[in-house]
Amino acid sequence: MTSTTASRPVGAKPAQGSNLSLGSLLRRPEAGAFLGLLAVLIFFAAFGGLTFLKPAGMSSWLNVAANLGIIAIPVGLLMIAGELDISVGAMVPFGAMTVAVISGHYGMSIWLGIAVTMAFGVTVGLINGYMVIRTAVPSLIVTLGSLFAVQGIVLGLTVLITKSTSVALTVDGPAKVIFGDFLFGGQLQVMVIWWLVLTAAYVFFIHFSPKGNWIFAMGGDKVSARNAGIPTDRMTIVLFVLSSTSAAFVGMCQAILYNSAQVAGGQSFIFNSIISVVVGGVLLTGGFGSVVGIFFGTITFAIVNQGIYYTDFDRNWSALIIGVLLLLAVLMNNTFRKMALSATTKKKGA
Amino acid sequence: MTAPILALKNINKSFGPIDVLHDINLEVRPGEVLCLLGDNGAGKSTLIKILSGVHQPTTGTIELDGKEVTFPAPRVAQEAGISTVHQFGGTFPLMSIGRSFFVGVEPTKGWGPFKIYDRARANAIAVKAVQDMGITRITDGDRLVGGLSGGERQSLAIARAVHFGARVLILDEPTAALGVKQATHVLRIVNEAKRRGLAVIFITHQVMHAMAVGDHFAVLIRGAVAADFRKGEKTREEITDLMAGGASMASLEAEIEGYMATHDGHPPQAVQA
Ligand SMILES: Nc1ncnc2c1ncn2[C@@H]1O[C@H](COP(=O)(O)OP(=O)(O)O)[C@@H](O)[C@H]1O
Ligand SMILES: [Mg+2]
């Protein structure tokens, strides 16, 4: 090193030039999620071989990722906007049970069942969103309330109507193909297609359309966002409607796929979606994150969740891996975010 | 004198049982800087929040170009050409400079439902705007706002308001977080906005800053306009006394209370020098 200008910054941070592109990649919200995914892939390839990357193995974790991912993205968007929605845990069985009772128990048209299920999803989202903007109660508490309320409604009404906690549903024709079938007669659920299409739509909406900016502004500083003319109340309601409707949609598709609905189950979606979102690089306190990050986070979670079957480890260990992964991902994301904040401007000239 | 752009007529504001503003009458004219002075808690920020559509007056009216208007939301005030830098916030720490600058008014390219955020244009405009404020260190619009110094963030917020402020520019204590050099830049910006014919409402605690740019001064005491005078009508010492709440301030308050006692509880409309 003969140049004094070049040698000075080396100690403080990586030199510019060739490192710049790597540096700016690492500063993206999804960087941690991507590295986490790589680590998990390497881990399971080392301990379980490549079976989980062959078609049969892949469909097992892709199915998990698809069902979770459709819920995790709107949950993550709420988190970016500074809110939480844990009522998704009740909306999944609610969606499943609604379509099963209408189209299974009462034997009405499947399309009516689908329409009513979606309408219920929208309604619960409206109630959640409205309560959050009208009261000063944190959304964690509001949706904790609606989580239990909806669970109570599902259990109470189902037993009242059907005298059972499990309702059968048989669907065929286009509704089955569109919402609850396996692709090409294999093991891959049609849900995977929904997940990919929805993810692409969210990527466009959040990162390319001008309104995506509003969600980040809301999570960064809600008062300033409102002062800048953003309809923060309306956006909050829209996001809550998205998350509860997405959860009801997933429940509905599962009922159509498995030809039955149970009142229980769905609770796991609460923690699993939050894990996917946080591993995906979304800041728990809002204002930072990306859809692609959530996408990677979801896949990472699904691979850990399913990959354990392809190793010699007992399945019970997967929770440990997920816990460690979560902590590591958060630490890594914090580091990358600090890097992003301290990234200085290119010096002009020499 | 030109006709006022904005006129406040008997504005009162209370938050529930708390009365914050009493019978405020003020006018802002194009090409003029109105300095709003007063102690902490006097109601300055509340007053400008009414002008920027954040709050609605409890009673009283706002006139824009002589016509009565209401600003039910910040966006409505913005569309009327009123752009405000509020006392706190205004930028978003984890957003890029370009995105933070254009929050709510994102530039787009493309067509129809496929209009997308024009990052390059947003960054270029934002960087140029902050550089015009004298912050030449900022050259990259992708940088996160949280990595800037307090003064740079404040300058970014002001640059944004100047960029979008078509007719009225409102700055609520913009120099509080700034160093001497950057504060001077802000004052230059205020003068430049005035020269371009904007009306400026400038809130500050620093007499020097107020004297440097103000054409017209209003002192708020406990939510009422206690003094309303033009440049040259009061000395620096008198203004300092008014702002610092010293002995003269105390006597002025006594004066107002005396006035209110003899005038059915109405505060004085304006004190002529
Ligand atoms: N949203 C609000 N609700 C209740 N009281 C408020 C609110 N905003 C301001 N106030 C009160 O109004 C008074 C004036 O505040 P403010 O306008 O911020 O003063 P200033 O900007 O002159 O320091 C203070 O006593 C403050 O507590
Ligand atoms: Mg104030």
Side-chain angles (χ1 to χ4, degrees):
Chain A
M1 284 260 196
T2 48
S3 157
T4 49
T5 47
S7 61
R8 201 181 57 80
V10 167
K13 59 187 302 294
Q16 265 135 25
S18 64
N19 282 344
L20 192 71
S21 54
L22 179 66
S24 54
L25 272 184
L26 282 184
R27 289 196 292 273
R28 299 188 60 84
E30 56 271 12
F34 184 69
L35 292 181
L37 178 57
L38 276 186
V40 162
L41 281 175
I42 292 168
F43 179 88
F44 283 104
F47 288 98
L50 293 174
T51 330
F52 74 105
L53 291 179
K54 298 198 173 107
M58 267 182 87
S59 58
S60 80
W61 56 261
L62 275 175
N63 288 341
V64 170
N67 284 279
L68 179 57
I70 289 177
I71 298 173
I73 294 177
V75 164
L77 297 186
L78 273 168
M79 203 184 277
I80 292 174
E83 308 288 353
L84 271 176
D85 183 3
I86 60 169
S87 70
V88 291
M91 290 312 292
V92 174
F94 188 37
M97 207 36 100
T98 307
V99 73
V101 166
I102 292 176
S103 310
H105 181 75
Y106 286 122
M108 290 189 259
S109 155
I110 180 67
W111 298 106
L112 180 73
I114 290 169
V116 173
T117 304
M118 294 291 95
F120 279 176
V122 171
T123 308
V124 174
L126 286 174
I127 293 172
N128 280 341
Y130 200 75
M131 283 198 295
V132 167
I133 62 165
R134 282 296 129 160
T135 66
V137 181
S139 49
L140 174 68
I141 306 300
V142 167
T143 57
L144 185 63
S146 52
L147 172 74
F148 276 81
V150 171
Q151 267 172 355
I153 291 173
V154 175
L155 183 59
L157 275 185
T158 306
V159 172
L160 191 72
I161 295 172
T162 69
K163 312 275 182 296
S164 161
T165 54
S166 161
V167 178
L169 165 75
T170 318
V171 180
D172 31 44
K176 177 85 180 168
V177 175
I178 297 171
F179 296 106
D181 213 343
F182 291 100
L183 290 170
F184 323 116
Q187 288 167 307
L188 204 59
Q189 296 173 13
V190 69
M191 192 69 113
V192 173
I193 305 278
W194 280 101
W195 173 49
L196 295 176
V197 169
L198 285 171
T199 301
Y202 281 120
V203 166
F204 175 79
F205 177 67
I206 300 305
H207 300 293
F208 291 96
S209 94
K211 285 197 172 73
N213 218 21
W214 300 5
I215 294 174
F216 290 89
M218 284 165 65
D221 181 348
K222 193 151 282 172
V223 173
S224 290
R226 192 177 297 133
N227 289 346
I230 291 175
T232 51
D233 286 352
R234 195 162 29 141
M235 294 292 287
T236 304
I237 291 180
V238 166
L239 290 176
F240 274 106
V241 167
L242 269 182
S243 65
S244 63
T245 311
S246 302
F249 177 81
V250 168
M252 179 188 83
C253 292
Q254 288 185 344
I256 296 175
L257 179 76
Y258 297 119
N259 299 318
S260 83
Q262 272 76 37
V263 289
Q267 295 271 14
S268 63
F269 278 98
I270 303 171
F271 281 130
N272 295 356
S273 62
I274 293 177
I275 291 170
S276 304
V277 164
V278 172
V279 168
V282 175
L283 184 60
L284 195 61
T285 47
F288 194 73
S290 74
V291 175
V292 174
I294 301 170
F295 182 77
F296 286 147
T298 309
I299 295 179
T300 309
F301 177 89
I303 289 181
V304 176
N305 188 273
Q306 294 296 306
I308 199 91
Y309 293 115
Y310 298 94
T311 66
D312 295 331
F313 302 126
D314 190 294
R315 139 152 205 95
N316 301 332
W317 292 102
S318 68
L320 173 70
I321 301 178
I322 287 174
V324 172
L325 177 79
L326 178 68
L327 292 176
L328 285 180
V330 171
L331 286 175
M332 200 154 56
N333 289 335
N334 278 349
T335 311
F336 288 150
R337 198 166 49 247
K338 284 210 190 78
M339 276 171 60
L341 280 174
S342 62
T344 48
T345 334
K346 285 165 268 184
K347 298 237 160 43
K348 283 183 294 184
Chain B
M1 219 189 301
T2 47
I5 296 185
L6 266 181
L8 297 174
K9 306 261 158 142
N10 300 313
I11 294 283
N12 285 277
K13 176 67 185 174
S14 33
F15 293 104
I18 313 159
D19 293 330
V20 177
L21 297 174
H22 316 279
D23 283 331
I24 304 285
N25 287 287
L26 276 177
E27 292 178 345
V28 279
R29 293 165 201 282
E32 225 183 71
V33 178
L34 166 66
C35 283
L36 206 51
L37 314 170
D39 210 353
N40 280 332
K44 306 180 296 296
S45 296
T46 306
L47 182 61
I48 60 109
K49 280 179 187 160
I50 287 176
L51 286 178
S52 54
V54 176
H55 293 320
Q56 272 61 59
T58 311
T59 63
T61 53
I62 305 171
E63 288 180 4
L64 183 72
D65 299 319
K67 284 192 269 306
E68 194 178 320
V69 288
T70 55
F71 298 136
R75 189 172 278 274
V76 181
Q78 277 162 23
E79 278 159 9
I82 300 170
S83 129
T84 308
V85 179
H86 290 280
Q87 189 169 5
F88 306 106
T91 55
F92 305 90
L94 290 166
M95 287 172 85
S96 74
I97 289 169
R99 281 183 174 268
S100 181
F101 192 90
F102 280 98
V103 161
V105 280
E106 294 78 8
T108 54
K109 58 184 179 189
W111 47 269
F114 299 105
K115 274 206 184 78
I116 65 168
Y117 170 72
D118 190 345
R119 174 174 145 268
R121 188 148 63 95
N123 285 358
I125 294 172
V127 165
K128 176 163 190 319
V130 275
Q131 292 210 338
D132 287 350
M133 291 277 305
I135 313 285
T136 47
R137 231 166 61 77
I138 294 176
T139 53
D140 178 6
D142 279 330
R143 244 182 101 182
L144 298 189
V145 170
L148 307 179
S149 73
E152 288 169 337
R153 283 180 67 171
Q154 182 71 41
S155 303
L156 176 65
I158 297 171
R160 176 183 205 276
V162 170
H163 187 262
F164 294 107
R167 306 194 63 200
V168 181
L169 177 64
I170 302 177
L171 305 173
D172 192 353
E173 302 197 22
T175 52
L178 301 187
V180 180
K181 202 170 149 221
Q182 284 165 0
T184 313
H185 260 298
V186 171
L187 297 178
R188 207 170 286 148
I189 295 289
V190 169
N191 268 329
E192 168 64 18
K194 170 177 146 180
R195 199 190 55 73
R196 292 205 325 246
L198 268 75
V200 183
I201 300 177
F202 184 62
I203 300 179
T204 180
H205 272 141
Q206 269 157 300
V207 195
M208 292 295 283
H209 294 171
M211 299 276 288
V213 294
D215 297 300
H216 177 187
F217 303 81
V219 181
L220 279 190
I221 295 181
R222 280 194 237 125
V225 179
D228 186 338
F229 52 92
R230 298 196 63 79
K231 188 183 182 115
E233 289 177 353
K234 281 197 194 305
T235 65
R236 192 175 137 203
E237 284 68 32
E238 286 172 311
I239 301 178
T240 312
D241 277 343
L242 278 170
M243 287 174 70
S248 324
M249 186 73 117
S251 68
L252 184 61
E253 284 185 29
E255 216 176 288
I256 295 166
E257 265 150 33
Y259 185 99
M260 284 172 76
T262 55
H263 290 76
D264 305 315
H266 290 299
Q269 293 305 307
V271 176
Q272 298 304 324

